[in-house]
Amino acid sequence: MQAFALCIALALAGAQLVHAQTAVAPSAAPPGLYAALGEKAGIDRLADVFVERLLRHPRIGPQFQDVKPAALKQSLAEQFCVLTGGPCTYEGGSMREVHADMDINKGDFNALVEVLQRAMDAQGIPFSQQNRLLALLAPMHREIITVH
Ligand code: HEM
């Protein structure tokens, strides 16, 4: 199931070139997704669980060891909120700049997507809604993956 969702997200990525240069794309927000994620409170909880799981992840956890978890949670929550059409402002950096020196490859990216899927499962977010959020994030691979 997880792999299937990932395939869908990456397939949809190809169709969403328009998002490739931006960290957020409010105009593309799918109707109802913000509400389906539980609005601001639900997205905050998701960011919290997501980052806690990232920190413990055997493959990519080490890349987050010097990061302030509270700040990362806040940035991710803002980003997800804006992407899904919520009334938020994203104040973090561009995906390209933020991840530029991290040597991120496809396996790292896929690992992060899987952690996010599991965090969404843990929050009881329906599979169909998970895929809608993943479809918004998947195009960012063009800015984030720097090692091919
Ligand atoms: C769809 C995939 C991804 C998204 C949407 C994403 C999103 C973000 C966002 C919003 C921030 C905060 C930026 C800021 O506050 O200025 C961030 C920071 C960060 N990301 Fe990602 N990211 C993704 C993939 C990855 C991957 C694959 C890795 C490494 C395995 C990674 C490692 C990091 C690290 C270490 C930071 C903290 C940078 C710092 O505070 O110094 N990210 N990411």
Side-chain angles (χ1 to χ4, degrees):
M1 200 56 127
Q2 303 291 339
F4 175 67
L6 183 57
C7 288
I8 297 214
L10 292 176
L12 287 167
Q16 302 212 0
L17 283 167
V18 67
H19 303 177
Q21 301 306 319
T22 57
V24 291
S27 61
L33 182 54
Y34 176 68
L37 295 182
E39 302 193 335
K40 186 70 172 69
I43 290 173
D44 284 347
R45 277 198 305 278
L46 174 61
D48 192 17
V49 171
F50 179 34
V51 170
E52 292 304 322
R53 286 170 177 248
L54 279 177
L55 292 170
R56 303 198 297 267
H57 193 273
R59 173 172 179 149
I60 55 175
Q63 302 209 50
F64 291 89
Q65 291 317 306
D66 295 332
V67 171
K68 291 196 177 81
L72 182 58
K73 288 173 187 176
Q74 185 178 338
S75 278
L76 285 166
E78 286 171 2
Q79 185 190 45
F80 291 178
C81 176
V82 174
L83 275 172
T84 59
C88 306
T89 305
Y90 174 71
E91 296 188 345
S94 78
M95 291 298 93
R96 192 179 297 283
E97 283 167 5
V98 167
H99 301 94
D101 300 322
M102 294 186 196
D103 291 339
I104 293 172
N105 62 33
K106 194 173 168 187
D108 299 325
F109 188 90
N110 290 347
L112 178 135
V113 170
E114 196 172 318
V115 174
L116 177 57
Q117 286 180 305
R118 291 186 192 283
M120 289 192 286
D121 274 342
Q123 294 300 106
I125 295 168
F127 183 65
S128 56
Q129 304 297 339
Q130 296 184 18
N131 279 342
R132 295 172 86 201
L133 178 60
L134 294 176
L136 294 171
L137 300 179
M140 296 177 186
H141 74 91
R142 296 187 189 85
E143 284 93 63
I144 292 173
I145 295 174
T146 51
V147 175
H148 296 276

